[in-house]
Amino acid sequence: MLCGKNIFNLACISVLLLASCAKKDPPAFTRPPSPVTVATAVSQDVPQYLDEVGHTVAREVVSVQPQVSGAITEIHFADGADLRKGDLLFTIDPRPFQAQLDSAQANLVQSKAALDFANIQFARVQDLVQSRAIARQDYDTRKNAVDVGEAQVKQNEAAVESARLNLEYTAIHSPIDGRAGHRLVDPGNVVTANQTTLLTIERMDPIYADFTATESDLSAVQNASKKQALRVEVRLPDNSKPEVGQLTFLDNAVQSSTGTLLLRATVPNAARHLWPGQFVNVRLVLATLPKAVLVPAAAPQDSSKGPFVYVVKDDSTAELRPVKLGQRQGDLVVVEDGLHPGERVVMNGQIGVMPGAKVNVVSGAPAAPATAPAGQS
């Protein structure tokens, strides 16, 4: 009996001890809501585009060479000057060519006088040959003198014209509108016809932007260009404001070594913002995607199953939402599937968010992202 009482007492003590310990256990830990900033998905028309790297090319490039040989006597422009077609550039010593013209003109006068005399002599015998008052040989001789005189006049007229052209060629004019490079000769230099390069002129307005597209993009470019003239935005590497032009050329073959096709855009360049030979970022706009859903590019996260966003629901809980992303639009990105306009997505603080857990939306972010600038990456 005593043993049974002891066992009973020990059981009571154990129950009391357990109850005492249970009262001292701390309450279960509750994770506080993670602080996040959010942005609202918006709907907007955005461009569909190809981004490539290209370089600028002058629309016209002319190497100025003399058409006559001689000594340079004057230079009429400054290096780097803007030139108009017809502006005087160089003068070659005209005196030898003036002497050639004077000589050719004197020969022409002489040949015309000889022709006049031959015509007078031939007129005297034209009627006599019918009556056989003169020999047929005399008639033929005087007629031949007229024919020879006419030929000599034409020959000397051509010599006069050639000498006049050579004299005109001593004044070298700009063949195009453009910007002058640095001159390659100085006064006193003797230049050779059609050999010595005097100057290079490049037309910079409009300017070309050459770039390439991959073979896989060719069909998209062809289909889009059939519908309308394609807009091209050309931007310097410093991401300055783009210059806008149009696609004006597709090459006639894909380069087998690279699998790319050469394309060319023509871009107005009155302000000379672009310079020949520069590397540029080129955006070829193929079409417009209507009512696209956009969120800040910082909102989507990557996982082993693909990109996702955290959507903040009305009860302040976060839902992990898989999404399909499209092209960047400035600081925004297109969400092709998985999100609707007006839904709030976590923009900052994703690392502390648990799916289904509550979040604390803090201030510091706009309710909606800014409008995506057309054609900017």
Side-chain angles (χ1 to χ4, degrees), residues 15-27:
V15 170
L16 291 173
L17 289 173
L18 288 172
S20 176
C21 291
K23 290 180 180 179
K24 293 180 181 179
D25 284 344

Side-chain angles (χ1 to χ4, degrees), residues 143-164:
K143 184 178 184 302
N144 180 67
V146 172
D147 294 338
V148 171
E150 290 177 346
Q152 288 177 340
V153 168
K154 290 181 179 180
Q155 182 179 11
N156 289 328
E157 286 176 342
V160 168
E161 184 61 25
S162 177
R164 183 178 289 111

Side-chain angles (χ1 to χ4, degrees), residues 66-140:
Q67 293 178 273
V68 293
S69 301
I72 298 291
T73 57
E74 291 183 81
I75 296 175
H76 304 275
F77 68 97
D79 292 355
D82 288 326
L83 303 174
R84 304 294 296 178
K85 183 177 181 179
D87 286 352
L88 183 60
L89 303 177
F90 301 92
T91 298
I92 295 175
D93 187 358
R95 292 173 298 176
F97 303 97
Q98 182 64 58
Q100 292 176 9
L101 176 59
D102 293 342
S103 176
Q105 289 174 332
N107 290 336
L108 176 60
V109 171
Q110 184 179 11
S111 62
K112 285 182 176 180
L115 176 60
D116 290 341
F117 180 70
N119 280 326
I120 292 172
Q121 288 188 318
F122 180 63
R124 290 173 180 170
V125 300
Q126 271 186 310
D127 295 334
L128 298 177
V129 71
Q130 298 296 334
S131 60
R132 298 184 179 181
I134 63 170
R136 183 71 185 186
Q137 182 177 357
D138 291 339
Y139 173 85
D140 292 339

Side-chain angles (χ1 to χ4, degrees), residues 43-79:
S43 177
Q44 182 181 323
D45 293 349
V46 296
Q48 294 178 310
Y49 57 85
L50 298 177
D51 276 346
E52 304 291 346
V53 175
H55 66 280
T56 51
V57 179
R59 182 171 181 173
E60 294 177 297
V61 181
V62 175
S63 295
V64 179
Q65 293 184 334
Q67 293 178 273
V68 293
S69 301
I72 298 291
T73 57
E74 291 183 81
I75 296 175
H76 304 275
F77 68 97
D79 292 355

Side-chain angles (χ1 to χ4, degrees), residues 3 19 24 58 94 105 132 137 164 185-186 207-208 212 222 230 235 253 267 269-270 324-325 332 343:
C3 182
K24 293 180 181 179
Q105 289 174 332
R132 298 184 179 181
Q137 182 177 357
R164 183 178 289 111
V185 295
D186 294 310
I207 198 168
Y208 290 140
T212 58
Q222 289 175 319
L230 298 187
R235 184 184 290 106
V267 184
N269 192 37
K324 180 181 178 182
L325 300 180
L332 309 180
E343 291 189 298

Side-chain angles (χ1 to χ4, degrees), residues 317-365:
T317 59
E319 176 190 351
L320 188 152
R321 186 84 60 81
V323 293
K324 180 181 178 182
L325 300 180
Q327 289 184 311
R328 284 283 296 264
Q329 303 289 336
D331 294 330
L332 309 180
V333 64
V334 173
V335 179
E336 296 181 350
D337 188 31
L339 198 64
H340 299 287
E343 291 189 298
R344 295 184 301 165
V345 297
V346 176
M347 185 174 172
N348 293 297
Q350 294 97 327
I351 193 171
V353 178
M354 294 293 292
K358 286 186 176 294
V359 294
N360 178 27
V361 178
V362 298
S363 60

Side-chain angles (χ1 to χ4, degrees), residues 219-358:
S219 295
V221 174
Q222 289 175 319
N223 293 335
S225 61
K226 290 176 183 177
K227 299 175 183 178
Q228 59 184 352
L230 298 187
R231 172 188 173 99
V232 178
E233 299 172 358
V234 178
R235 184 184 290 106
L236 293 174
D238 60 5
N239 285 323
S240 57
K241 181 180 179 182
E243 301 294 328
V244 179
Q246 288 187 344
L247 183 69
T248 52
F249 171 74
L250 282 79
D251 205 356
N252 57 4
V254 174
Q255 299 298 317
S256 58
S257 58
T258 60
T260 59
L261 180 75
L262 176 65
L263 290 83
R264 169 171 286 176
T266 302
V267 184
N269 192 37
R272 306 292 175 85
H273 184 62
L274 301 175
W275 218 251
Q278 287 180 306
F279 283 99
V280 289
N281 297 318
V282 180
R283 171 163 292 182
L284 175 61
V285 180
L286 300 177
T288 299
L289 182 64
K291 298 181 180 179
V293 179
L294 297 107
V295 297
Q301 303 293 298
D302 288 324
S303 72
S304 59
K305 296 182 180 180
F308 67 92
V309 295
Y310 284 113
V311 178
V312 178
K313 303 172 73 173
D314 293 339
D315 60 359
S316 295
T317 59
E319 176 190 351
L320 188 152
R321 186 84 60 81
V323 293
K324 180 181 178 182
L325 300 180
Q327 289 184 311
R328 284 283 296 264
Q329 303 289 336
D331 294 330
L332 309 180
V333 64
V334 173
V335 179
E336 296 181 350
D337 188 31
L339 198 64
H340 299 287
E343 291 189 298
R344 295 184 301 165
V345 297
V346 176
M347 185 174 172
N348 293 297
Q350 294 97 327
I351 193 171
V353 178
M354 294 293 292
K358 286 186 176 294

